[in-house]
Amino acid sequence: MTRPNPSFDLTAEDVDLIETALNQSKQILAHRHLSYEHCAHVEGGPSGEKAQRVGETLTRIQDLLGRLNSQKLVCGPAASLS
């Protein structure tokens, strides 16, 4: 049975790349979310469910971006002193 690795060996550049990818995904999903919401108002049906799922994903991405930013801020000054 596998278990999660509690320690990660990521560089600041790795975190920046992850952050960039998440921001790009967030932009794409935000447009998709608006489209699904519009379709749900016009047509109803499955578009409303899709809009809800995409909205939940957007919330998770925003949460993760916030946590990444917090860690960058905490680790940033110490890393620049060494």
Side-chain angles (χ1 to χ4, degrees):
M1 179 177 239
T2 62
R3 56 188 168 144
N5 181 1
S7 62
F8 288 89
D9 187 24
L10 297 174
T11 65
E13 290 82 18
D14 294 337
V15 174
D16 285 339
L17 180 60
I18 292 167
E19 193 174 23
T20 299
L22 285 170
N23 277 315
Q24 289 175 345
S25 295
K26 189 174 91 170
Q27 286 180 332
I28 292 166
L29 288 174
H31 289 292
R32 190 172 294 166
H33 185 252
L34 288 173
S35 175
Y36 287 150
E37 280 187 330
H38 175 73
C39 289
H41 287 297
V42 173
E43 303 166 359
S47 293
E49 293 172 14
K50 289 179 183 178
Q52 182 179 355
R53 284 195 307 272
V54 171
E56 290 168 358
T57 302
L58 283 168
T59 300
R60 291 179 62 204
I61 288 173
Q62 187 59 46
D63 236 19
L64 180 54
L65 284 168
R67 287 184 283 146
L68 281 174
N69 193 41
S70 298
Q71 289 191 4
K72 280 174 46 175
L73 292 175
V74 169
C75 296
S80 65
L81 293 176
S82 54

